[in-house]
Every structure is written in structure tokens, then in C-alpha cells.
Amino acid sequence: MAQVLEFKLPDLGEGLTEAEIVRWLVEVGDVVAIDQPVVEVETAKAMVEVPCPYGGVVTARFGEEGTELPVGAPLLTVAVGAPEGSSGSGEDSGSAPESSGGSGNVLVGYGTGAPAARRRRIRPDRVDRPVTEAPVSAAPVGKTPVLEAPVVKVLVADASVTEGPVPVVSPLVRRLARQNDIDLRRLAGSGPDGLILRADVDRAIRAAEETATATARAAQAPAPVQTQAPAVAAAAAPNGVAAAGDAERIPLRGVRGAVADKLSRSRTEIPDATCWVDADATELMAVRAAMNAATGPSAGPKVSVLALLARICTAALARFPELNSTVDTEAREIVRLSGVHLGFAAQTERGLVVPVVRDAHTRNAESIGAEIARLTELARTGKLSPAQLTGGTFTLNNYGVFGVDGSTPIINHPEAAMLGVGRIMPKPWVHQGELAVRQVVQLSLTFDHRVCDGGTAGGFLRYVADCLEQPAVLLRTL
């Protein structure tokens, strides 16, 4: 006999507590294999395809696309085991089939090495009780002629039934009923063994809405002689004043919600300050052009401006390690970090993300550039894992790609600083005592004033500017 197993939304790691269903990859009735992806979800960190640890037939899905589910909420149920008609004793049918143990190849926080505990379904007595069709109609209101309300038929259990468990498995169904004041004890489920499904609750909600609408329409019907009151006329106007106040509400969830939470926390907890400086990047651009034009044994992959800026940042952090730190507020300690995990801001269709180049302090410009290119491509396709979006110690924000000169960045909590880089463009500049057109860029450093004073932040920013203006300065640290 087949056994129905419930697959819940697993712990996706990195402290994530919820995820939004983006796209179902299977339908009810589909046959799935062990470890086959069944749903694509979006967390605050990344898009993830969730594999099912059971093989069998999908019997139910919980949640429509766009629904946000907490970790541990049911995702779907799968019927596993022998098909009907196969031989087996009653004792054997009480244990999970061997194949239902799963593969163990699953996400953080849940495993299939041990057999899943069987979820016993309580057979409600309600299934055997008489079910009546309850016609609902609107009552007349006073002597005013009324419009007859449509008769809505809803299957309800015997009104006298108040004892026993309610046959509902999904917490989403319970919440939906609770939000719409639907008494689950009065519903007769259309699922197996009288299980109340979301469709049953939806039907009850629609029936209640139709009844309420018909009643309201009947109550507002005008008397044959009386003139319609101004208040009633205003209410009946399809494009009245109330419509003018309508506004679109967009939920703060997914990447947008995570960004909002993190930036709000940064502004609340971190006493930040910003300093900035203009720098002549003409020599840096010339050095980059020479690197990329090299041929023969000296030739290599093209080096981006962002890769050079990242390498300059790692050199600056080696001189000013105070900015590669974080603050432990509970212990009241500054935690100075030994390694540099460099985050860089990347704008994608899903919003702003900050991939992290691990151990950037051990890489040269070419290695950093290759890793930035790899992570950027993953960001564009929405395939960055949570681990690739967390753990940064310092962030580089190149907002010059948007065609702007300057900004005051918000620190990526719990880091201590962020370097912002504007666009590099020709500007009049005094060079060697003469006015000339040079490639000028504005740099801004936002820092946590708890980890250092302005002298340290100014020294860091000045060193970065010197490296841009005189790239040979970097040779000392190579």
C-alpha cells in the first residue's frame, strides 16, 4: 500500500526563515524521482531549486506561486511505496517503504538518512455524517423593493458537530480560513478521508462574498418614489473620490525585503561618517590599457577597472586594518579580521546583490577580475548561492556605471566601511602646474566611527587616491 509522505520547506541556511514560491516544477499527479527539483523558491539571498528527497507521485502542493512560506511549512506530499494491488501484510504496510528513505542529497537543515516519521491521518467521523446543502439567501429589508440574491450552495457538515479534530493538514488552509472568518468545523472536505483542502475554503469564501454582495445590493436598491440620497449616489459612483486614493502596495519581501532590513539596521546601529576626494585616474587608465594590450608571454586575460580598484582596496586595508573589522555590540568589542573577503555591489533584475570575493587579500588583480566576472554572471542569472552572498568584510561599490559622480554609501552591515567610486570622465585638472584635461573620478568612503577616527579613514582614502594617480605606488606591496 502506498504511503503519503509530507515534504516540508527545508532550512536553506544562512539563518533564512522564509522563502517565496517562484515557480512550481511539478504538477499534482506527476511522478518524481528522488532528489528531483520540484519547486523554485526565492530567499532573501538567492534563487534556489529545492529537490524532493522522496520518489513517488505528487498528491498535493501547498502554496501558489508568489506565496511566502516559513521554513518547516509543507511544500507538497508524495505517495511512495507499492502500488495498489501488490501483496503485503498489514504489518508491512505500517512501515515506510525502503525507497522512501530518500537519498540524503539535500539542502542544509534537513536530511533523509533516517526514515521519516509517519504522519498518521485521523479519519474524522464527519465523513460518515450527513452532509446537507444549505441554501443561503438574502432577507428583505424593510418595505424597500429588493433584488433577489442568488442562491449559493455550500456543502456544510451537520451544524451540531462541534467535537473532534478538524481534518486539515495545511497550516496555510487554517490561516486562510481564520483570516476570512470561515468555520472549518462546518465545512465538508473534498479531499481523501474528508480532508479539507484550500479549494474547499476558497469556495466557502466566494460563497460568503457573493451572499454579502447580493445583500448589500438589495439593501441599496432605490425606492420607487424617493430620490436617491447624495451619499448613496456618491457610493454608487464607479469613479468616485474613494477611487482617487487608491495606491499600489508592493510587499517588501525577497531580495527587496532583505535589502530594506539590512540598510535599515545599518542606519540604526552604525554611527557612520563619510569623506570623499577627487582623484586623477589618468595614469591608472593608461596602465590598464598597457596591460590589456600586452602580447606574447606577457599577454593574459583583460583586466577591468573594478579589478584594479579591488586590488588597491586590499592593499589599503593591509595598511589600515581598522577598516577591515566589525563591532560586537554585546561584548562591546571591535573584532579586527585577518582576511579580506571583498564584496562588490551588483545591480540585477532581482535587485541589488553583493557577491563576495573570498580571500581577496591573497589574489592579484587578474585573479580578482576573474572571480568578479564569474560571480557577476551568476548574479545575472540568479544562481548565486547564499554562501556567495554573505561573509564579506569590506564592500566596493562602483556606482559610476550608472553615470553618477558621487554618493554617500550605506555600510553593508555588519561591516565597518564601504568605498564608493563614481564615473571616470574627462575634466579640467591642474597637472604639473598646468591646466589640462584629465580622467577624474570621485571617491567616497563611508566608515563606522566606532572602529576608527577620521584620521584613519582619511589616510585610507588618500592612499587609494594616490594609487589611482600613481599606480607605481602599488609596486611596494606586490
Side-chain angles (χ1 to χ4, degrees), residues 77 105 160 176 275 291 346 371 440 455:
T77 54
N105 248 354
S160 62
L176 183 64
C275 54
M291 287 180 181
E371 184 66 0
V440 179

Side-chain angles (χ1 to χ4, degrees), residues 226-270:
Q226 289 182 338
T227 304
Q228 200 172 27
V232 177
N239 298 318
V241 179
D246 291 346
E248 181 183 7
R249 290 180 174 267
I250 302 173
L252 275 175
R253 60 189 183 192
V255 173
R256 186 74 262 159
V259 170
D261 292 341
K262 199 154 196 176
L263 296 184
S264 298
R265 184 176 182 184
S266 178
R267 279 295 193 214
T268 302
E269 293 186 9
I270 299 178

Side-chain angles (χ1 to χ4, degrees), residues 308-320 360-365 368 463-464 466-468 470-478:
L308 292 174
L309 291 169
R311 179 64 186 90
I312 292 172
C313 282
T314 59
L317 290 171
R319 284 176 168 255
F320 301 93
H361 62 290
T362 65
R363 300 173 180 261
N364 56 27
I368 291 175
Y463 178 80
V464 172
D466 289 345
C467 288
L468 264 69
Q470 305 174 56
V473 173
L474 276 176
L475 292 176
R476 297 178 178 176
T477 59
L478 295 180

Side-chain angles (χ1 to χ4, degrees), residues 35 51 57 85 89 148 162 166 175 184 195 201 210 245 252 269 291 303 311 341 352-353 364 400 423 440 459 475:
D35 290 342
V57 179
S89 64
E148 184 177 356
T162 58
V166 178
R175 184 175 64 181
L184 290 173
L195 184 68
V201 178
E210 291 174 6
L252 275 175
E269 293 186 9
M291 287 180 181
V303 178
R311 179 64 186 90
H341 303 308
L352 179 68
V353 295
N364 56 27
R423 60 178 175 171
V440 179
L475 292 176

Side-chain angles (χ1 to χ4, degrees), residues 194-417:
L195 184 68
I196 297 177
L197 307 178
R198 178 169 181 169
D200 301 322
V201 178
D202 287 338
R203 279 193 294 269
I205 294 173
R206 287 195 298 270
E209 290 175 348
E210 291 174 6
T211 302
T213 301
T215 303
R217 188 183 299 119
Q220 293 177 0
V225 177
Q226 289 182 338
T227 304
Q228 200 172 27
V232 177
N239 298 318
V241 179
D246 291 346
E248 181 183 7
R249 290 180 174 267
I250 302 173
L252 275 175
R253 60 189 183 192
V255 173
R256 186 74 262 159
V259 170
D261 292 341
K262 199 154 196 176
L263 296 184
S264 298
R265 184 176 182 184
S266 178
R267 279 295 193 214
T268 302
E269 293 186 9
I270 299 178
D272 58 350
T274 302
C275 54
W276 55 90
V277 66
D278 290 340
D280 180 2
T282 306
E283 296 300 325
L284 180 72
M285 300 303 289
V287 167
R288 174 177 176 264
M291 287 180 181
N292 293 339
T295 58
S298 300
K302 302 295 184 183
V303 178
S304 66
V305 174
L306 187 61
L308 292 174
L309 291 169
R311 179 64 186 90
I312 292 172
C313 282
T314 59
L317 290 171
R319 284 176 168 255
F320 301 93
E322 297 92 336
L323 295 172
N324 192 54
S325 59
T326 187
V327 176
D328 186 341
T329 54
E330 293 185 1
R332 294 186 61 80
E333 294 176 343
I334 297 173
V335 182
R336 191 169 296 176
L337 306 169
S338 57
V340 177
H341 303 308
L342 187 69
F344 64 95
Q347 191 70 37
T348 70
E349 292 181 356
R350 298 175 57 240
L352 179 68
V353 295
V354 184
V356 177
V357 177
R358 302 285 170 184
D359 300 314
H361 62 290
T362 65
R363 300 173 180 261
N364 56 27
E366 187 175 293
S367 173
I368 291 175
E371 184 66 0
I372 287 176
R374 184 183 74 86
L375 293 172
T376 299
E377 181 59 28
L378 291 175
R380 286 174 179 164
T381 57
K383 296 181 179 179
L384 284 170
S385 67
Q388 293 169 321
L389 290 165
T390 53
T393 63
F394 184 91
T395 296
L396 174 62
N397 187 358
N398 180 21
Y399 44 75
V401 296
F402 302 117
V404 297
D405 296 327
S407 176
T408 54
I410 299 178
I411 296 174
N412 188 20
H413 185 278
E415 298 170 10

